[in-house]
Amino acid sequence: LLDIALSPDFAESGVLFLSYAYGSISENGTALMRARLEGDSLVDTQTIFRAKPKRGPQHFGGRMALLDDGTILLTIGDGFAFRENAQNVSDHLGTIVRVAPDGSVPKDNPFANDEAAEPEIWSHGHRNPQAILVDPANGRVWAHEHGPRGGDELNVIRRGGNYGWPVLTDGVDYSGARISPYGLDRADEFDFDNPVHVWTPSIAPGGMTLYDGDAFPEWRGNLFVSALAGTALHRLVLEDDKVFSEEVLLDDLGARMRDVRTGPDGFLYILTDASDGKLLRVKP
């Protein structure tokens, strides 16, 4: 199980969406299920999307965001050993896909009429996107993704965008070898989308929330990113689609932070990543 998202009419319909990894080590991928919560049971379960299968147990992505038109964005990792596929739109690896609530392909998807491409693809050139959200004020879509050793990225996602992996990256391979001879400063030459923010060394970003609560009024409109390897919570102050400043919080806990969300009470809730993982609440 990777993520859960509630339908906008969940209070009445009970409809929700679950993303998960399917298959075996030799053939697996990222999938999306629609279901309905009835009492304490899931009913009417239906898998509405399956990414093309790959080998190996890594980089599934699997985070979701719902757009105002009811369609669903789902992140899909590059499969780790298949990073070149992130530049190949005939494959789902290293992409963000967009589907309707019944799994059908929206007609305005950028590759919907391209017979050589997977029609669900919304953007590509991603490594392993671990969070995605929509700013309700302006519809801007934010996502972040893991780099290798360095080069974690925060991006504004646009229809048909190419985010450069693995042609352009500020990270190096785990062996220390260069992945690309080009840095992110060459993005314009390749017609790639530049990241809004880059973390080098890597913090291994986990979850993300755009704060809109009342408990911390001075933080409204800030992005919060939980970090796994970085064992902290990062507060990003935004100006339009740029990061103006960054503050590192809760690093004294030394905890791998898997996810962060804004609660209905305006407090921040953080899930830690450990054998005795905890749910933390941050309040004034």
Side-chain angles (χ1 to χ4, degrees):
L1 181 64
L2 298 171
D3 201 5
I4 180 171
L6 306 183
S7 173
D9 65 351
F10 173 77
E12 296 79 33
S13 69
V15 171
L16 52 81
F17 302 93
L18 301 168
S19 59
Y20 62 96
Y22 76 87
S24 63
I25 291 293
S26 60
E27 187 175 83
N28 58 67
T30 306
L32 179 60
M33 174 187 289
R34 175 191 171 103
R36 185 166 55 84
L37 186 66
E38 190 173 272
D40 59 359
S41 299
L42 287 178
V43 299
D44 300 334
T45 59
Q46 178 188 7
T47 297
I48 61 174
F49 169 80
R50 281 179 185 252
K52 274 188 172 180
K54 63 175 179 63
R55 299 185 308 278
Q58 295 165 304
H59 289 197
F60 290 90
R63 293 303 188 106
M64 286 181 283
L66 273 61
L67 297 176
D68 285 344
D69 61 5
T71 58
I72 304 159
L73 296 177
L74 172 68
T75 72
I76 301 176
D78 68 347
F80 186 75
F82 312 99
R83 61 194 184 198
E84 292 79 9
N85 289 33
Q87 289 296 319
N88 181 5
V89 293
S90 66
D91 195 302
H92 291 120
L93 291 176
T95 69
I96 295 174
V97 299
R98 174 177 174 248
V99 296
D102 62 359
S104 61
V105 176
K107 293 180 179 179
D108 59 343
N109 271 8
F111 302 100
N113 299 312
D114 186 343
E115 294 183 359
E118 290 297 327
E120 297 91 356
I121 293 175
W122 184 252
S123 64
H124 64 293
H126 301 286
R127 187 170 183 265
N128 192 25
Q130 289 286 292
I132 187 168
L133 59 81
V134 181
D135 185 338
N138 51 37
R140 187 175 289 127
V141 178
W142 294 91
H144 65 54
E145 59 189 75
H146 286 206
R149 285 178 56 185
D152 300 338
E153 294 182 9
L154 174 69
N155 289 295
V156 172
I157 304 301
R158 67 175 182 88
R159 176 187 182 275
N162 184 343
Y163 292 83
W165 175 257
V167 179
L168 298 185
T169 177
D170 269 1
V172 298
D173 221 334
Y174 295 103
S175 66
R178 293 187 68 178
I179 294 169
S180 167
Y182 310 112
L184 293 173
D185 57 338
R186 302 282 295 276
D188 292 341
E189 296 177 39
F190 289 85
D191 198 26
F192 290 155
D193 290 76
N194 268 311
V196 172
H197 195 63
V198 177
W199 290 278
T200 299
S202 174
I203 65 169
M208 180 167 60
T209 189
L210 181 66
Y211 186 78
D212 61 352
D214 295 326
F216 301 95
E218 68 277 18
W219 286 354
R220 256 187 230 121
N222 293 179
L223 276 178
F224 286 84
V225 175
S226 59
L228 293 158
T231 62
L233 183 68
H234 291 247
R235 180 174 74 94
L236 304 178
V237 179
L238 305 176
E239 287 191 357
D240 296 323
D241 60 353
K242 306 294 182 184
V243 173
F244 177 74
S245 64
E246 179 174 11
E247 181 183 11
V248 178
L249 304 168
L250 307 181
D251 52 329
D252 57 313
L253 299 180
R256 287 171 55 86
M257 298 185 182
R258 169 62 63 184
D259 203 0
V260 58
R261 303 289 172 106
T262 304
D265 51 14
F267 302 154
L268 288 172
Y269 288 82
I270 301 166
L271 280 174
T272 69
D273 182 82
S275 57
D276 60 343
K278 298 175 176 63
L279 176 62
L280 310 178
R281 183 174 67 170
V282 180
K283 58 182 181 178

